[in-house]
Amino acid sequence: MVLNSLDKMIQLQKNTANIRNICVLAHVDHGKTTLADCLISSNGIISSRLAGKLRYMDSREDEQVRGITMKSSAISLHYAEGDKEYLINLIDSPGHVDFSSEVSTAVRICDGCIIVVDAVEGVCPQTQAVLRQAWLENIRPVLVINKIDRLIVELKFTPQEAYCHLKNILEQINALTGTLFTSKVLEERAEREAESQVNPNSEQGEQVYDWSTGLEDTDDSHLYFSPDQGNVVFTSAIDGWGFGIEHFAKIYSQKTGIRKEVLLKTLWGDYYINMKAKKIMKVDQAKGKKPLFVQLILENIWSLYDALLKKDKEKTDKIVTSLGLKIGAREARHSDPRVQINAICSQWLPISQAVLAMVCQKLPSPLDITAERVEKLMCAGSQTFDSLPPETQALKAAFMKCGSEDTAPVIIFVSKMFAVDAKALPQNKPRPLTQEEIAERRERARRRHAEKLAVAQGQAPMEPTQDAGALEMNSQGEEPKDDEQEVESETPKPVPPEGSEQESFIAFARVFSGVARRGKRIFVLGPKYSPLEFLQQIQISVSEPIIPFRETITKPPKVDMVNEEIGKQQKVAVIHQTKEDQSKIPEGIQVDSDGLITMTTPNKLATLSVRALPLPEEVTQILEESSDLIRSMEQLTSSLNEGKNNSQMIHQKTQEKIWEFKGKLEHHLTGRKWRNTVDQIWSFGPRKCGPNILVNKSEDFQNSVWTGFNGKASKEASRYRDLGNSIVSGFQLATLSGPMCEEPLMGVCFVLEKWDLSKFEEQTASNKQSQEPGDLAKEGQGDGDTRSCGDEQQELQDHGSEPFEKRASQRGESPLTDCYGPFSGQLIATMKEACRYALQVKPQRLMAAMYTCDIMATSDVLAHSVTFLYKIIPSDPFWVPTTEEEYLHFGEKADSENQARKYMNAVRKRKGLYVEEKIVEHAEKQRTLSKNK
């Protein structure tokens, strides 16, 4: 029902018994705001078609953009049930844990709450938090199990499975409620026990008691949620329907003749109906039958969804006719079945009627507030009610009465208050001009223009008008251009009231007694919940600033640590030290003098040879700046591998940028060492867009990132694509975490010199030969190869020395695939380890982030101009003295601090990695009690 007038609202406010102050509480994305939209649409404030899409209570712009509720919002609704009319003050609260303070604000000024639970996700952490908060504030909850449609559409549950699932959700919520009740009873028993111990007159028998006695004597049946008690409603807010047990009990009471009271108790639970005898039986008398809730309620809803989703028009028309409903022509023609579901279910089971009826019947009015809660609201912190002044204690009766007479004392509980600038208030904001104000301003402009002409012609000056100083004087006497257009676009400047320099306060409050009128002076007591008391107890600890590092390699040094040129003798010592470092590499890994790492997979079917080279600084910078372009190249390459026409997808400007990027790399990667390197780039890393490259120089298999843009795709690339992806994945993992402190790599080029898969191919061929003759004949017909098994074996022996991809192409064999198989995993692990060992045989260095700031903007956008670059730390973290000068300068143990090693160990400690360091240094010998020693 719609509130048409203010007088109606005032009349409803005076009837305190029919007022309900409620809030909606739930976990994030469980449907609070969508449910609120459905309730608001019942009052005609918004259209029912926009309910769930408009999110009317999310009035802030950032709430609409992010799609979550961030601030509590309140609205008043009107509901009529029979001859009674109710005023429902509804507060929609956030569900995200970061805005839990808004939930506390809403709960403190309400008498009841609606707990919303997702039918699929069930009880979530924030559901437990809000239920506990409602319990601590002593407000009564009711339960709404929302998104029942997801059980039908997404999970594809049968009605019986949905019933069991809903029973489990209710058991979880009731278990949580029982835990809260148990803790409260035990606390009260503990307090009474403490009082009895303090009282010396207590008898000895009173000192011993059973903890379970309080639980057994206390009635807690009204605390739990159960559909037969009327405090549970099943809804689908997005489809606009909801129901309680009472609705169907009334319908089936008229059809079956069974009393409504009996159906209310048996529609939920393990009860079964005998339609012939028209009797309801328990589970032990009717095994294998469907419960009443499934047979009479859920199956009908499931049948309706099934007919509409499958677009069974005949069945849909039959259901609509049997329910006595009418569907508009627009909804009947709509192609989306959810629109038809909303149109039918919102008439058959209106959600607003089910939820608001439960709120009015089961939640208390302000008159039902308990004395315990009144005393808690009036006391602050550890203050007790008896310690309050007598005048304040006398207000307790006014709290309990909740009178709305003019003679009643005005009691306002402020749950939240914050200060705002007076200019931000709505009455002080600029507003558009009315037509009368625009005409008045035009007349003023004409009068001022006439005065200016009179002064310019030497006539007697007229008396200055009230607005003479509003416009600048025109000494030339020319008529101002576009004067009327400027006047029309002006808006009046707000006139600040007296005392506008003071701050204004906006409060989230509730009037418990009396009538609060605008302009009435009020007195505010001190804050009930002071945040300073809580914050002073928190010990704040701040970690040290975390500096990002990168790992790289450099060329061998030409000078030692004392800046002396390394001679032949020193070079021998350096080479000897390098060999000692290489000796730490496990057996089975071959390392040559140039740092080439050769590894074999554990199953001995593939051999990889990898070398690591440092990239020039200019190339590293180009890769860093072109990360977005490299990412786009990777996406285009992926689409090419999926079989899409790449030439139509690439824009001309994108192609120009790609070739420009390739030209820059070719310009800087020159010389014999980098010959044809750019054309052989296989991948970038980490994350396929980083400042490291993988170069494929293997003669057996050739692939490049530029292949798709040239329009050339070799047969080898398609044949060995899956195994090649494993090699690239190993490279990505290696560049993501380096060997020093698991930081990403930067400025490193990994060269795949050799990739031998001949043994793997031979094993694959032998596996094919061992197949059944019929399978081989079918395979020969499909591939155009009618040779016998003996011929194939002879060819393998004759051409064993040829490259394996040539033999594969000659026979027209299918691609070698081992997607996510054991061999692919071994290739990934072997490539990763080969890259790590290739780094370890080179001089390794750390790169630290150097922050720079170019001031090219105002202070408002200065933060966007702060960037940082990575610079190499020159010192070697693994350095030990090798030359004679270094021994003389640093000592044999090199006890002076190594800054790079310090950085490396700090990162390893932060990540929980092993750090090799001395625990005790320069320890003295322990003295004994012996005098001779």
Side-chain angles (χ1 to χ4, degrees), residues 119 145-153 156-170 227 232-236 241-245 247-249 251-252 266-271 290-307 315 319 323 345 348-349:
I145 301 181
N146 193 22
K147 301 186 181 182
I148 302 293
D149 59 294
R150 294 184 63 190
L151 302 178
I152 309 173
V153 179
K156 308 291 184 183
F157 277 177
T158 62
Q160 182 66 37
E161 292 172 344
Y163 169 68
C164 297
H165 183 74
L166 295 174
K167 281 179 61 178
N168 292 336
I169 293 177
L170 279 174
V232 179
V233 167
F234 305 93
T235 67
S236 173
W241 60 268
F243 66 90
I245 295 295
H247 176 78
F248 284 96
I251 294 175
Y252 287 110
T266 56
L267 269 178
W268 179 264
D270 295 330
Y271 295 95
K290 299 175 183 178
L292 287 178
F293 189 77
V294 176
Q295 184 178 359
L296 302 182
I297 300 178
L298 293 187
E299 285 188 349
N300 294 327
I301 298 175
W302 258 246
S303 177
L304 175 60
Y305 266 81
D306 182 67
K315 187 176 180 180
I319 293 175
L323 294 175
C345 294
W348 178 34
L349 304 170

Side-chain angles (χ1 to χ4, degrees), residues 90-110:
L90 175 70
I91 300 178
D92 181 26
S93 61
H96 201 281
V97 66
D98 292 343
F99 311 111
S100 56
S101 60
E102 293 291 324
V103 179
S104 305
T105 298
V107 168
R108 290 185 191 128
I109 59 177
C110 292

Side-chain angles (χ1 to χ4, degrees), residues 83-223:
D83 298 335
K84 295 183 179 181
E85 295 185 358
Y86 295 90
L87 179 66
I88 300 174
N89 298 315
L90 175 70
I91 300 178
D92 181 26
S93 61
H96 201 281
V97 66
D98 292 343
F99 311 111
S100 56
S101 60
E102 293 291 324
V103 179
S104 305
T105 298
V107 168
R108 290 185 191 128
I109 59 177
C110 292
D111 302 314
C113 66
I114 300 175
I115 305 294
V116 182
V117 179
D118 192 323
V120 175
E121 298 181 6
V123 179
C124 295
Q126 200 62 16
T127 310
Q128 302 179 16
V130 296
L131 190 59
R132 186 178 296 107
Q133 201 160 9
W135 177 272
L136 295 176
E137 294 294 337
N138 199 14
I139 65 173
R140 190 180 302 173
V142 291
L143 180 64
V144 171
I145 301 181
N146 193 22
K147 301 186 181 182
I148 302 293
D149 59 294
R150 294 184 63 190
L151 302 178
I152 309 173
V153 179
E154 295 181 17
L155 299 185
K156 308 291 184 183
F157 277 177
T158 62
Q160 182 66 37
E161 292 172 344
Y163 169 68
C164 297
H165 183 74
L166 295 174
K167 281 179 61 178
N168 292 336
I169 293 177
L170 279 174
E171 289 175 1
Q172 293 175 16
I173 299 176
N174 288 332
L176 180 60
T177 304
T179 303
L180 297 172
F181 170 75
T182 303
S183 61
K184 180 182 178 181
V185 172
L186 296 183
E187 286 177 4
E188 293 176 353
R189 294 281 294 174
E191 291 176 0
R192 286 197 291 267
E193 172 64 11
E195 292 177 359
S196 63
Q197 291 179 356
V198 173
N199 186 8
N201 298 327
S202 61
E203 298 180 0
Q204 185 68 23
E206 296 178 355
Q207 303 297 324
V208 180
Y209 63 92
D210 184 11
W211 285 97
S212 61
T213 305
L215 298 177
E216 294 174 356
D217 297 341
T218 309
D219 182 20
D220 60 341
S221 59
H222 64 284
L223 300 176

Side-chain angles (χ1 to χ4, degrees), residues 722-735:
D722 293 338
L723 300 181
N725 289 339
S726 301
I727 299 294
V728 174
S729 299
F731 161 74
Q732 299 295 335
L733 293 175
T735 54

